[in-house]
Amino acid sequence: MSLIGRQAELEHLAGLIEDIPRRGGALLLSGAPGAGKSALLAEVRAHCASAGLRVLAANGVQSEQQVPFAGLHQVLYPVRAGLSGLPAGQRAALGTALGLADGPAPEVSLVGLAVVNLLAETAPLAVLLDDVQWLDQASQEVLTFVARRLCSEPAVLIATRRTGEPSALTSAGLPELALDRLSAEAAAELLDRVAPDLPAPARARVLAQAEGNPLALTELPSTATETSPLPLTPRLERAFAARADALPAATRHCLLIAALHEHGALAEILAAAGLQPETGVAVLRPAAEAGLITLDTGAVEFRHPLVRSAIAQTADLGQRQAAHRALAEVLSGQPDRRAWHRAAATLGPDEQVAADLEATADRAQRRGGVATAISALERAAQLSEDPADRVRRLLRAAELAVDSGRRDIVDRVLAEVRALPLTARQRALAAWLPSAFDDGVSEGATGPGELLTLVEQVLADGDLDLAMRIFWGTAMRCFWVEPGSAVRERIIGVADRLPIPARDPRLVAITAYVAPIERGDVVVARLRELAAEVGGDPVTYRYLSSAALQVGALTESARFSAAAQPGLRAEGKLALVARALAVQAWSCVRLGDLLTAAPAAEEAAQLARETRQPYMYGLARAVQAEICALRGEYEQAETLAAEAEQVGLAAAARPVLAKVQLARGIAALGAGRYLDAFLALRRVHDPADPAYQLALRCYLLPELAEAGLRCDQADEVRKIVAELESAALSTSSPALTIGLRYARAVLAADDRAESLFRTALEADLTRWPLERGRLQLAFGEWLRRQRRPADSRPYLRAARETFDALGMPGWSERARRDLRATGEASPEPREDAYHELTAHELNIARLAADGLTNREIGERLYLSHRTVSTHLHRIFPKLGITSRTELGAALQPSPA
């Protein structure tokens, strides 16, 4: 197809190719059918060839969408020998996905990381994907993962997408270049070139009907006498169909088989048509001469996807069924492809075909092709003869859809399931599955009370495994929403009757979610007992970190969440990695470890977005807002808080909204807006406010007490403190205990304040430097107000040094001001070089400082080792160093 009128787009694409030695990236090229996407991609391929760049490519075909990783196989086939050089886990994951090895179902992220590394070793190169919307879903997900991570590689990924067709790559946030219609001048030039002898009336009609579409301008001249009002694409399909109708019957039969074939392999198409290779090519040659196909590569390639769809759609049902049956016979040695063709040839129930499709689903699931497995199970259900088999297959499809985050599929499948006879277990499963999304926060999700009823029913039926799955979801809802004390008491009552050991980590976490105050002592004791027994199980670490966070054991939650990550990363469980990172960031920021919290929160937000966990994304953003507030970056703190609040308000996700108010309260305190700080923090303690959260209200006392004291709201704070004093009788929560000590001291009368400050400072706050610094600052300020400057200086000096080390300039400046008021000057704070690093760079630098190699860092962060090397070469100048051995010292806070 001519590229008249597409020069600007071609120059843009050529620029991407020319930039490959310096940087990589990805681009989505979108447009209507016939807009010239494939023609531009062909020009890019030619440009790569002239530049000496390797090209890996795949073409999406509608009929191939049910073959898991078929598109990825196309891309990687030329470089398949490179698999042997990958790390063992990545090699196994990619080999299983491509059907080259047997193994457990691989996670998309592990397959994606393997592809990133394989491409990095093969670079410089270009990956060209045509009609990406028709690649199989598994390939699209992997390539989306890859596209997000090519920016630092000498590789570029360019994908074409038909406008209006969904694709996983559209969610990757890639830059997109849309092909609009040609200008009137370019359209006229193109038409005159392809049909120079077209009469003026026909020429005007073609220009009007084509609407600037290059393919239409090329094809419609042959039908220029028509005045059809059909939309453009049907007109083009009809034009191609008319051309096919003029072919001999044998040719049309072969074309139909080719249109329904997945790969276009000429030998298989001719065999299905009952033709010998010697004579079969001659049968197809008229179609090639008519410009519908090409036969140059030993395969049947359609000139345009609309040709394929036109031929398939204009055939009647009987003809299509016969073609599918013929292909199924030829593909007897390929059970998955054969099963799909047999299913397409079958109208009514057929248990044998249904069983074959279920076996196909099993194989697809083992390879990680969950989308294919779901489609196979849905089609198998339609063909099931026994209603019980139909229900079983549909529910299995729904469970897989939950695991892959496809709420639309779950809703569709369950609408069908509910009209069928169900067992008690199946009814419970159907009721629970929709609530497995977004931790049950979204509108319409089953509430904790209804879920508890399901748990009791399933337990009575003897299915402990399903009961525990539902019960875990029930407990987590008590974190995100507030069910009320009555429901919480019911849940704990059921938990007490569960036939599992009291020290089971799942039960410990459930107890913490449901009764963080009433059972806080029990949870803290269990955490300390289990800490030495966990081993290396990441799932157990995940349960314990969640439990520790709920009861304010933040040193433990930071440690457990960090310990969970290596195992979860190695298994490619990115959704759980995002959660572990969010818990780690949350805990570390309260402990004052911003160097750990900042990169953890950044990565948590990125992975939560990638894995479609909106409320975890909101939570991570809220933690980032808190970090900015502590650093004195108030404008950025509010920007992040507003973004998190928007997420949290969508379904009143209480922890997100509570964390937002904490960030705003800290920022307002730092800016001296004490009433604003008080009002923001007070919301977390108001049961009628959507920011109220039962556990989190226990951990905000230092900020609330200071704000209330400075805006004449001390009496209101004292009421809250009294309420939490009663709660402290039931829990040994470290966060609550530390907060109460601080609040008692700052709110006390002058005759009691000193002893309360000293008591608070005598506690072991080694792992809580932020809280220790806050106490030192408050005590030093109180002593200065008591006209005891000499006594105040050691505490103010210690607070200044603490906040300097923690990277909290606003707080250290407060200490400096009070020291100046006592007559002591302070050295100017030193800006540590590591503050120039982005959160992502800081993460890489810290891992390198810990001794990890580039490859190990890449495996940890889902990057290629080349990308890690590129980042380190940018990091070293920022830190003023020249080698890895200097990283440790460069990342240490400078002494005051």
Coordinates of all heavy atoms in Angstrom, one line a residue, residues 4-62:
I4 N 1.6 7.5 0.7 CA 1.2 8.9 0.4 C 0.5 9.5 1.6 O -0.5 8.9 2.1 CB 0.4 9.0 -0.9 CG1 1.3 8.7 -2.1 CG2 -0.2 10.4 -1.0 CD1 0.5 8.6 -3.4
G5 N 0.9 10.6 2.1 CA 0.2 11.3 3.2 C 0.6 10.8 4.5 O 0.1 11.3 5.6
R6 N 1.6 9.9 4.6 CA 2.0 9.3 5.9 C 3.5 9.7 6.2 O 4.1 9.0 7.0 CB 1.9 7.8 5.9 CG 0.4 7.3 5.8 CD -0.4 7.8 7.0 NE -1.7 7.2 7.0 CZ -2.8 7.7 7.5 NH1 -2.7 8.9 8.1 NH2 -4.0 7.1 7.5
Q7 N 4.0 10.7 5.6 CA 5.4 11.0 5.8 C 5.8 11.4 7.2 O 6.8 11.0 7.7 CB 5.8 12.1 4.8 CG 7.4 12.3 4.7 CD 8.0 11.0 4.1 OE1 7.5 10.3 3.3 NE2 9.2 10.7 4.7
A8 N 4.9 12.1 7.8 CA 5.2 12.5 9.2 C 5.3 11.3 10.2 O 6.2 11.2 11.0 CB 4.2 13.5 9.7
E9 N 4.4 10.4 10.0 CA 4.4 9.2 10.8 C 5.6 8.3 10.5 O 6.2 7.8 11.4 CB 3.1 8.4 10.6 CG 1.8 9.0 11.1 CD 1.2 9.9 10.0 OE1 1.8 10.3 9.0 OE2 0.0 10.3 10.2
L10 N 5.9 8.3 9.2 CA 7.1 7.5 8.9 C 8.4 8.0 9.5 O 9.3 7.3 10.0 CB 7.2 7.4 7.3 CG 8.3 6.5 6.8 CD1 8.2 5.0 7.3 CD2 8.3 6.5 5.3
E11 N 8.5 9.4 9.5 CA 9.7 10.0 10.0 C 9.8 9.8 11.6 O 10.8 9.5 12.1 CB 9.7 11.5 9.7 CG 9.9 11.8 8.3 CD 9.8 13.3 8.0 OE1 9.5 14.1 8.9 OE2 10.0 13.7 6.8
H12 N 8.6 9.8 12.2 CA 8.6 9.5 13.6 C 9.1 8.1 13.9 O 9.9 7.9 14.8 CB 7.1 9.7 14.2 CG 7.0 9.5 15.6 ND1 7.3 10.4 16.6 CD2 6.7 8.4 16.4 CE1 7.1 10.0 17.8 NE2 6.7 8.7 17.7
L13 N 8.6 7.1 13.2 CA 9.0 5.7 13.4 C 10.5 5.5 13.0 O 11.2 4.8 13.7 CB 8.1 4.8 12.5 CG 6.6 4.7 12.9 CD1 5.8 4.0 11.8 CD2 6.5 4.0 14.2
A14 N 10.9 6.2 12.0 CA 12.3 6.1 11.6 C 13.2 6.6 12.7 O 14.3 6.1 13.0 CB 12.6 6.8 10.3
G15 N 12.7 7.7 13.4 CA 13.5 8.3 14.5 C 13.6 7.3 15.6 O 14.7 7.2 16.3
L16 N 12.6 6.5 15.9 CA 12.7 5.5 17.0 C 13.8 4.5 16.6 O 14.5 4.1 17.5 CB 11.3 4.8 17.1 CG 10.2 5.5 17.8 CD1 8.9 4.7 17.8 CD2 10.6 5.9 19.2
I17 N 13.8 4.1 15.4 CA 14.8 3.1 14.9 C 16.2 3.7 15.0 O 17.1 3.0 15.5 CB 14.5 2.6 13.5 CG1 13.1 2.0 13.4 CG2 15.6 1.6 13.0 CD1 12.9 0.9 14.4
E18 N 16.4 4.9 14.6 CA 17.7 5.5 14.7 C 18.2 5.7 16.1 O 19.4 5.8 16.4 CB 17.6 6.9 14.0 CG 17.5 6.7 12.4 CD 17.1 8.0 11.8 OE1 17.0 9.1 12.5 OE2 16.9 8.0 10.5
D19 N 17.2 5.8 17.1 CA 17.6 6.0 18.5 C 18.0 4.7 19.2 O 18.5 4.8 20.3 CB 16.5 6.7 19.2 CG 16.5 8.2 19.1 OD1 17.5 8.7 18.6 OD2 15.5 8.9 19.5
I20 N 17.8 3.6 18.5 CA 17.9 2.3 19.2 C 19.3 2.2 19.9 O 19.4 1.7 21.0 CB 17.6 1.1 18.3 CG1 16.1 1.0 18.1 CG2 18.2 -0.2 18.8 CD1 15.6 -0.1 17.2
P21 N 20.4 2.5 19.2 CA 21.7 2.3 19.9 C 21.8 3.1 21.3 O 22.5 2.7 22.2 CB 22.7 2.8 18.9 CG 22.0 2.7 17.6 CD 20.6 3.0 17.9
R22 N 21.0 4.2 21.4 CA 21.1 5.0 22.6 C 20.1 4.7 23.6 O 20.3 4.8 24.8 CB 21.0 6.5 22.2 CG 22.2 7.0 21.3 CD 22.1 8.5 21.1 NE 20.9 8.9 20.4 CZ 20.8 8.8 19.1 NH1 21.8 8.4 18.3 NH2 19.7 9.3 18.5
R23 N 18.9 4.4 23.1 CA 17.8 4.1 24.1 C 16.7 3.3 23.4 O 16.7 3.2 22.2 CB 17.2 5.4 24.6 CG 16.6 6.3 23.5 CD 16.0 7.5 24.0 NE 15.4 8.3 22.9 CZ 14.8 9.5 23.1 NH1 14.6 10.0 24.3 NH2 14.3 10.2 22.1
G24 N 15.9 2.6 24.2 CA 14.8 1.9 23.6 C 13.5 2.4 24.0 O 13.4 3.6 24.4
G25 N 12.5 1.7 23.8 CA 11.1 2.1 24.1 C 10.1 1.3 23.4 O 10.4 0.3 22.8
A26 N 8.9 1.8 23.4 CA 7.8 1.1 22.8 C 6.8 2.1 22.3 O 6.7 3.2 22.8 CB 7.1 0.1 23.8
L27 N 6.0 1.7 21.2 CA 5.0 2.6 20.6 C 3.9 1.8 20.1 O 4.0 0.7 19.6 CB 5.7 3.4 19.4 CG 4.7 4.3 18.6 CD1 4.4 5.5 19.5 CD2 5.3 4.6 17.3
L28 N 2.7 2.3 20.4 CA 1.4 1.7 19.9 C 1.0 2.5 18.7 O 0.7 3.7 18.8 CB 0.4 1.6 21.0 CG -0.7 0.6 20.9 CD1 -0.2 -0.8 20.7 CD2 -1.6 0.7 22.1
L29 N 0.8 1.9 17.5 CA 0.4 2.5 16.3 C -1.1 2.1 16.0 O -1.3 0.9 15.8 CB 1.3 2.1 15.1 CG 1.2 2.8 13.8 CD1 1.5 4.3 13.9 CD2 2.1 2.1 12.8
S30 N -2.0 3.0 16.2 CA -3.4 2.7 16.1 C -4.1 3.3 14.9 O -3.6 4.4 14.4 CB -4.1 3.1 17.4 OG -4.1 4.5 17.6
G31 N -5.1 2.7 14.4 CA -5.8 3.3 13.3 C -7.0 2.4 12.8 O -7.0 1.2 13.2
A32 N -7.8 2.9 12.0 CA -9.0 2.1 11.5 C -8.4 1.0 10.5 O -7.3 1.1 10.0 CB -10.0 3.0 10.8
P33 N -9.2 0.0 10.2 CA -8.8 -0.9 9.2 C -8.5 -0.2 7.9 O -9.3 0.6 7.4 CB -10.0 -1.9 9.0 CG -10.8 -1.7 10.3 CD -10.6 -0.3 10.8
G34 N -7.4 -0.6 7.3 CA -7.0 0.1 6.0 C -6.3 1.4 6.2 O -6.0 2.1 5.1
A35 N -6.0 1.8 7.4 CA -5.4 3.2 7.6 C -3.9 3.2 7.2 O -3.3 4.3 7.1 CB -5.5 3.6 9.0
G36 N -3.3 2.0 7.0 CA -1.9 2.0 6.6 C -1.0 1.5 7.7 O 0.2 1.7 7.5
K37 N -1.5 0.9 8.7 CA -0.6 0.5 9.8 C 0.4 -0.6 9.4 O 1.6 -0.5 9.6 CB -1.5 -0.1 11.0 CG -2.5 0.9 11.5 CD -3.3 0.3 12.6 CE -4.2 -0.9 12.3 NZ -5.2 -0.6 11.3
S38 N -0.1 -1.6 8.6 CA 0.8 -2.7 8.2 C 1.8 -2.1 7.2 O 3.0 -2.6 7.2 CB 0.0 -3.8 7.6 OG -0.9 -4.4 8.5
A39 N 1.4 -1.2 6.3 CA 2.3 -0.6 5.4 C 3.4 0.1 6.1 O 4.6 0.0 5.7 CB 1.5 0.3 4.4
L40 N 3.1 0.9 7.1 CA 4.1 1.6 7.9 C 5.1 0.6 8.5 O 6.3 0.9 8.6 CB 3.4 2.5 8.9 CG 3.0 3.9 8.4 CD1 2.1 4.6 9.4 CD2 4.1 4.8 8.0
L41 N 4.5 -0.4 9.1 CA 5.3 -1.4 9.7 C 6.3 -2.1 8.7 O 7.5 -2.4 9.1 CB 4.4 -2.5 10.4 CG 4.9 -3.1 11.7 CD1 5.2 -2.0 12.7 CD2 4.0 -4.1 12.3
A42 N 5.8 -2.3 7.5 CA 6.7 -2.9 6.5 C 7.8 -1.9 6.2 O 9.0 -2.3 6.0 CB 5.9 -3.2 5.2
E43 N 7.6 -0.6 6.2 CA 8.6 0.4 5.9 C 9.6 0.4 7.1 O 10.8 0.6 6.9 CB 8.0 1.8 5.8 CG 7.3 2.0 4.4 CD 8.3 1.9 3.3 OE1 9.4 2.5 3.4 OE2 8.0 1.3 2.3
V44 N 9.1 0.2 8.3 CA 10.0 0.2 9.5 C 10.9 -1.1 9.3 O 12.1 -1.0 9.6 CB 9.2 0.1 10.8 CG1 10.1 -0.3 12.0 CG2 8.4 1.4 11.0
R45 N 10.4 -2.2 8.9 CA 11.2 -3.4 8.7 C 12.3 -3.1 7.7 O 13.5 -3.5 7.9 CB 10.3 -4.5 8.3 CG 11.1 -5.8 8.1 CD 10.2 -6.9 7.4 NE 9.2 -7.4 8.4 CZ 9.4 -8.5 9.1 NH1 10.5 -9.1 9.1 NH2 8.4 -8.9 9.9
A46 N 11.9 -2.4 6.6 CA 12.9 -2.1 5.6 C 14.0 -1.2 6.2 O 15.2 -1.3 5.9 CB 12.3 -1.5 4.4
H47 N 13.6 -0.2 7.0 CA 14.5 0.7 7.6 C 15.4 0.0 8.5 O 16.6 0.3 8.6 CB 13.7 1.8 8.4 CG 14.5 3.0 8.7 ND1 14.6 4.1 7.8 CD2 15.2 3.4 9.8 CE1 15.4 5.0 8.4 NE2 15.8 4.6 9.6
C48 N 14.9 -1.0 9.3 CA 15.8 -1.8 10.2 C 16.8 -2.6 9.4 O 18.0 -2.7 9.7 CB 14.9 -2.7 11.0 SG 13.9 -2.0 12.3
A49 N 16.4 -3.1 8.2 CA 17.3 -3.9 7.4 C 18.4 -3.0 6.9 O 19.6 -3.4 6.9 CB 16.5 -4.5 6.2
S50 N 18.1 -1.8 6.5 CA 19.1 -0.9 6.0 C 20.1 -0.4 7.1 O 21.2 -0.1 6.8 CB 18.5 0.3 5.3 OG 17.8 1.1 6.2
A51 N 19.6 -0.4 8.3 CA 20.4 0.0 9.5 C 21.1 -1.2 10.1 O 21.9 -1.0 11.1 CB 19.5 0.7 10.5
G52 N 20.9 -2.4 9.5 CA 21.6 -3.6 10.1 C 21.0 -4.1 11.4 O 21.7 -4.8 12.1
L53 N 19.8 -3.7 11.7 CA 19.2 -4.1 12.9 C 18.4 -5.4 12.8 O 17.7 -5.6 11.7 CB 18.2 -3.0 13.5 CG 18.9 -1.8 13.9 CD1 17.8 -0.7 14.2 CD2 19.7 -2.0 15.2
R54 N 18.4 -6.3 13.8 CA 17.6 -7.5 13.7 C 16.2 -7.2 14.0 O 15.8 -6.3 14.8 CB 18.1 -8.4 14.8 CG 17.5 -9.8 14.7 CD 18.2 -10.8 15.5 NE 17.9 -12.2 15.1 CZ 18.6 -13.3 15.4 NH1 19.7 -13.1 16.2 NH2 18.2 -14.5 15.0
V55 N 15.3 -7.9 13.3 CA 13.8 -7.7 13.5 C 13.2 -9.0 14.0 O 13.5 -10.1 13.4 CB 13.2 -7.3 12.2 CG1 11.7 -7.2 12.3 CG2 13.7 -5.9 11.8
L56 N 12.4 -8.9 15.0 CA 11.6 -10.1 15.5 C 10.2 -9.6 15.3 O 9.8 -8.5 15.6 CB 11.9 -10.4 17.0 CG 13.3 -10.8 17.3 CD1 13.5 -11.0 18.8 CD2 13.8 -12.0 16.5
A57 N 9.3 -10.5 14.8 CA 8.0 -10.0 14.4 C 6.9 -11.1 14.7 O 7.2 -12.3 14.9 CB 8.0 -9.7 12.9
A58 N 5.7 -10.6 14.8 CA 4.5 -11.5 14.9 C 3.3 -10.8 14.3 O 3.2 -9.6 14.4 CB 4.3 -11.9 16.4
N59 N 2.5 -11.6 13.7 CA 1.2 -11.1 13.1 C 0.1 -11.7 13.9 O 0.0 -12.9 14.0 CB 1.1 -11.4 11.6 CG 2.2 -10.7 10.8 OD1 2.5 -9.6 11.1 ND2 2.7 -11.4 9.8
G60 N -0.8 -10.9 14.4 CA -2.0 -11.4 15.0 C -3.0 -11.9 14.1 O -3.3 -11.2 13.0
V61 N -3.6 -13.0 14.3 CA -4.7 -13.6 13.5 C -5.8 -14.0 14.4 O -5.6 -14.7 15.4 CB -4.1 -14.9 12.7 CG1 -5.2 -15.5 11.9 CG2 -2.9 -14.5 11.9
Q62 N -7.0 -13.6 14.0 CA -8.2 -13.9 14.9 C -8.3 -15.4 15.2 O -8.6 -15.7 16.4 CB -9.4 -13.4 14.2 CG -9.7 -11.9 14.4 CD -10.9 -11.4 13.7 OE1 -11.1 -11.5 12.5 NE2 -11.9 -11.0 14.5

